[in-house]
């Protein structure tokens, strides 16, 4: 019989949480991801992370939302997002033990509770661009927007929500040279070519779907 260790416990947590999330429409992706895509082309996914060095006996989970209509979206990029502990009331980075059968079982129970009370409601509230811009407007989950290209994500969420002035404001918070087709988008907004913007966003979504393979 193979001796129990943290790697085995980590895999058991992955298995149990993926099975739990299946009820909410999440599908497995590679070995350490589970995802779903909403009708509003919002990619919602989690990434399991095993600790190493002094955290070798523990694991945590990253929680991410992206718009498929945002160029460059990928499950290799854990932004906009944050560690699961950030979604708990304490807002502290939290890790769960997986080094013994007992610790692993306890961690599974606790994680399911966090998903039920915090993560699933968060995903439900951000299953559309309108939902995402609402949390932006109310400055909720501000830790989501810590990366240096957050202005791009925010801009495309606003664009997909039909908030064109807000989209330009978001884009202009950073280097517009880093935004694919920014000049074209700006001209479309100025000309009120909103149907063309929708077509551009749809093309972006199709490209990202093919790139990720979902």
């Amino acid at each position: 019989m193979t001796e129990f260790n943290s790697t085995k416990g980590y895999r058991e947590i992955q298995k149990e949480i993926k099975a739990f999330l299946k009820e909410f429409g999440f599908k497995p992706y590679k070995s350490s991801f589970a995802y779903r895509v909403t009708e509003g082309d919002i990619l919602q996914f989690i990434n399991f992370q095993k600790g190493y060095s002094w955290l070798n006996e523990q694991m945590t989970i990253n929680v991410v939302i992206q718009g498929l209509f945002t160029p460059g979206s990928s499950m290799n990029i854990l932004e906009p997002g944050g560690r699961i502990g950030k979604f708990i009331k304490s807002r502290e980075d939290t890790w769960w033990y997986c080094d013994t059968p007992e610790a692993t079982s306890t961690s599974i129970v606790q994680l399911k509770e966090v998903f039920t009370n915090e993560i699933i409601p968060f995903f439900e509230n951000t299953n559309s661009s309108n939902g995402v811009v609402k949390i932006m407007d109310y400055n909720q989950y501000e830790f989501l927007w810590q990366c240096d290209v957050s202005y791009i994500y925010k801009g495309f969420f606003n664009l997909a929500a039909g908030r064109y002035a807000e989209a330009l404001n978001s884009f202009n918070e950073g280097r517009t040279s880093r935004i694919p087709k920014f000049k074209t988008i700006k001209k479309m907004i100025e000309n009120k070519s909103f149907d063309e913007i929708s077509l551009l966003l749809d093309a972006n979504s199709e490209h990202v779907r093919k790139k990720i393979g979902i």
Side-chain angles (χ1 to χ4, degrees), residues 107-186:
S107 294
I108 290 169
V109 170
Q110 292 176 348
L111 283 166
K112 286 182 179 179
E113 184 177 348
V114 173
F115 271 96
T116 299
N117 295 333
E118 304 293 344
I119 306 305
I120 296 302
F122 166 74
F123 279 146
E124 290 300 319
N125 288 333
T126 57
N127 63 7
S128 67
S129 296
N130 286 326
V132 175
V133 298
K134 185 175 180 179
I135 68 168
M136 288 162 45
D137 288 346
Y138 285 93
N139 296 317
Q140 297 173 311
Y141 306 101
E142 290 184 280
F143 58 84
L144 293 170
W145 316 103
Q146 299 299 311
C147 67
D148 62 350
V149 292
S150 286
Y151 68 97
I152 298 178
Y153 289 111
K154 286 183 175 181
F156 275 96
F157 279 125
N158 275 311
L159 205 60
R163 306 196 329 169
Y164 305 112
E166 290 88 345
L168 282 180
N169 288 338
S170 294
F171 288 143
N172 284 318
E173 289 178 1
R175 290 169 50 195
T176 57
S177 60
R178 300 181 70 177
I179 304 170
K181 298 184 179 180
F182 171 71
K183 291 182 179 179
T184 299
I185 292 170
K186 183 180 180 183

Side-chain angles (χ1 to χ4, degrees), residues 47-61:
N47 162 251
F48 296 89
Q49 182 179 344
K50 175 77 162 56
Y52 63 94
S53 187
W54 61 279
L55 283 171
N56 183 57
E57 298 177 343
Q58 301 174 61
M59 59 78 61
T60 192
I61 295 174

Side-chain angles (χ1 to χ4, degrees), residues 5-154:
N5 55 39
S6 60
T7 298
K8 189 171 183 179
Y10 172 62
R11 289 172 180 167
E12 183 65 21
I13 291 174
Q14 283 184 310
K15 177 183 175 182
E16 289 292 328
I17 297 302
K18 285 180 180 179
F20 175 76
L21 290 177
K22 187 176 181 181
E23 176 185 345
F24 301 96
F26 283 80
K27 302 176 182 178
Y29 181 81
K30 298 184 177 179
S31 62
S32 59
F33 294 86
Y35 79 97
R36 72 179 183 183
V37 176
T38 73
E39 291 184 2
D41 271 355
I42 306 299
L43 173 63
Q44 302 176 326
F45 68 92
I46 64 165
N47 162 251
F48 296 89
Q49 182 179 344
K50 175 77 162 56
Y52 63 94
S53 187
W54 61 279
L55 283 171
N56 183 57
E57 298 177 343
Q58 301 174 61
M59 59 78 61
T60 192
I61 295 174
N62 300 291
V63 179
V64 186
I65 55 169
Q66 296 178 358
L68 290 178
F69 39 76
T70 304
S73 290
S74 167
M75 282 194 240
N76 292 325
I77 302 172
L78 303 180
E79 301 287 352
R83 294 251 179 83
I84 190 170
K86 295 289 186 178
F87 293 83
I88 304 173
K89 189 175 181 179
S90 66
R91 296 291 188 260
E92 294 179 358
D93 189 15
T94 306
W95 292 68
W96 280 263
Y97 281 94
C98 55
D99 56 327
T100 68
E102 295 76 18
T104 298
S105 295
T106 298
S107 294
I108 290 169
V109 170
Q110 292 176 348
L111 283 166
K112 286 182 179 179
E113 184 177 348
V114 173
F115 271 96
T116 299
N117 295 333
E118 304 293 344
I119 306 305
I120 296 302
F122 166 74
F123 279 146
E124 290 300 319
N125 288 333
T126 57
N127 63 7
S128 67
S129 296
N130 286 326
V132 175
V133 298
K134 185 175 180 179
I135 68 168
M136 288 162 45
D137 288 346
Y138 285 93
N139 296 317
Q140 297 173 311
Y141 306 101
E142 290 184 280
F143 58 84
L144 293 170
W145 316 103
Q146 299 299 311
C147 67
D148 62 350
V149 292
S150 286
Y151 68 97
I152 298 178
Y153 289 111
K154 286 183 175 181

